[in-house]
Every structure is written in structure tokens, then in C-alpha cells.
Amino acid sequence: MKKELYRQDNPVVNDAFDRLAVNIHLKKQQEGLKTFLFCGCEPSVGTTTIGIDLAISMATAGWNTLLVDGDMRKRSEDKRLNMNGDKGLYEYLSCHIDEKDMYYATNYDKLTFVPNGQCNGGQVNLLCSEKMQNLLNEWKKEYDYVIIDVPSLASAVDAKIIAGQVDGVVMVASLRYSSRKAISQAKMALENAGANILGIVANRVDRREYKKNVYDTN
């Protein structure tokens, strides 16, 4: 059974994700980057939504894309894409399923999804494992782009564990609510973990402000 994913109806929002996809693609062309970690500076800044929409943008552009729900702290039923009973990253890393059983096709031909699985939280040791590192290396060979969604830096250490193992890290902040202190602390935590920080996605930007900034940049 395929996972049903949908882009937002707002053309301005879709334009922003398409621009982000192009910037990520340029990083691949210039530096060979393929695996990307997306993490919020704080909880509830919209990291999961950004990961989904970016993955769709990349897949519709023709790139073979893998979207990974790496948040093993939330129950499966609390995640936007997961259905009760889905097995995924947790089950594979804990040796309960074969690797092939954690991949789910989606309604986009070029987009594959890996759910977090039926976890109860706190499986940090699995992210540190050699098995996880081997997965990252394998994904880099098999996919054009890998997008991994993890808990915010303020709520868990998970992002710091994976940050040094991926090609690049994108921070997510809410333009309205994230403080400079929270962003600075998140940046410092990633730097201390040896992350290659590519930049910050400012989420929940006013439509008029977005258009103005894009116009001024161009």
C-alpha cells in the first residue's frame, strides 16, 4: 500500500520549496552532497512539513529521493505520515525486520519513505550504531537525495548524533517565534557535533514578506 503524500495548495509556498530544492541540488553539483539532516532549533517549528514538501519537490523534478522519519521519540500514531502498525527504522536497527521491509512506496514514483516504526522513544543507541552508519552510506549510493527528519535540537540529542554522519544539516526556525538565543544555541550544538551546517530555513514567513525578500534578492 502506497503512502499518500500531497503538496500544499499555496503556489507561493510551493515556489519556496522549489527554490530550496534547487539550492540543495546546487550543493550536490558543487560539493557532492546527497544526505541531508533537517532539524528544528526548537519544537513545533514545522520541520516535518518542510521535509515532506521538499522531498516532493525533488521527486517531481525527477530525482530519486528518500524521505526518512528519524524521530524515534514519537509514537508512530503521533507522526503525520505513519499509520498504526507501520514498521520502519526502529525495527530494522533493532534487528526485528529485514531492510527491504522498512521502505514504503509513495504516490510519487521517485519518492520512497521510511517511517520511524513502532518505537516508544529513547532509542538513542540505535542512532549511534554501525548499522545506522552503514545505512547512511548505502542510501548515499542508491538515492540522488536523502532527507532525514529528526527531533529538534532543544528537545533531544538525536540530531547531534547524526549531524556529523550526513553530508549537510539544515536548521529550521520559525520566523515569528524562534528567538536568536535558541537559533544560536542550536547552531553551536551542531558545530560542536562536527556538522556541516548549510543554513537555516525560516518557516511561517508572511506571504508579502516572502515575496518582497525574493524580489529584492533577484
Side-chain angles (χ1 to χ4, degrees):
M1 186 176 184
K2 290 185 177 181
K3 289 287 185 182
E4 297 290 329
L5 305 180
Y6 298 97
R7 299 193 75 181
Q8 304 208 26
D9 294 331
N10 190 326
V12 177
V13 174
N14 289 333
D15 174 72
F17 284 112
D18 288 342
R19 288 173 181 271
L20 179 58
V22 169
N23 288 334
I24 293 289
H25 181 61
L26 290 175
K27 282 294 182 180
K28 177 188 175 184
Q29 289 184 312
Q30 296 165 359
E31 304 174 32
L33 310 188
K34 297 179 73 173
T35 55
F36 300 90
L37 185 73
F38 279 71
C39 55
C41 298
E42 301 170 293
S44 303
V45 294
T47 308
T48 297
T49 297
I50 285 175
I52 294 170
D53 282 293
L54 176 61
I56 292 174
S57 290
M58 288 179 160
T60 54
W63 298 318
N64 195 19
T65 305
L66 179 67
L67 175 63
V68 180
D69 181 355
D71 187 351
M72 292 190 288
R73 293 183 177 274
K74 284 188 177 180
R75 297 175 302 171
S76 179
E77 57 267 29
D78 292 333
K79 296 294 288 185
R80 174 174 166 181
L81 292 181
N82 293 7
M83 302 287 288
N84 290 337
D86 280 354
K87 291 180 172 58
L89 186 62
Y90 167 69
E91 282 80 9
Y92 173 69
L93 292 178
S94 55
C95 302
H96 293 142
I97 61 172
D98 293 333
E99 181 182 346
K100 62 181 176 60
D101 296 325
M102 71 175 177
Y103 297 104
Y104 290 76
T106 72
N107 52 318
Y108 294 91
D109 291 339
K110 295 287 187 177
L111 179 56
T112 302
F113 174 62
V114 173
N116 63 345
Q118 300 296 306
C119 46
N120 297 312
Q123 286 81 13
V124 176
N125 60 309
L126 297 178
L127 298 177
C128 303
S129 67
E130 182 179 356
K131 202 169 186 179
M132 183 66 197
Q133 182 60 66
N134 290 339
L135 260 186
L136 291 169
N137 294 335
E138 182 180 322
W139 289 340
K140 191 170 182 178
K141 295 176 183 177
E142 295 188 3
Y143 294 92
D144 294 320
Y145 296 99
V146 179
I147 299 171
I148 306 172
D149 172 28
V150 294
S152 73
L153 285 150
S155 61
V157 300
D158 303 42
K160 290 184 283 186
I161 293 172
I162 306 179
Q165 303 179 55
V166 295
D167 295 333
V169 178
V170 177
M171 300 165 57
V172 180
S174 169
L175 192 63
R176 297 180 182 178
Y177 304 115
S178 296
S179 65
R180 289 189 177 183
K181 181 179 179 180
I183 295 173
S184 177
Q185 289 177 338
K187 180 174 180 291
M188 185 178 300
L190 288 172
E191 289 174 341
N192 291 338
N196 177 23
I197 303 174
L198 303 179
I200 299 178
V201 172
N203 197 18
R204 302 187 176 120
V205 179
D206 179 82
R207 179 171 180 167
R208 287 178 295 181
E209 186 173 3
Y210 169 76
K211 285 187 172 182
K212 179 179 182 299
N213 288 334
V214 170
Y215 179 81
D216 289 345
T217 301
N218 294 337

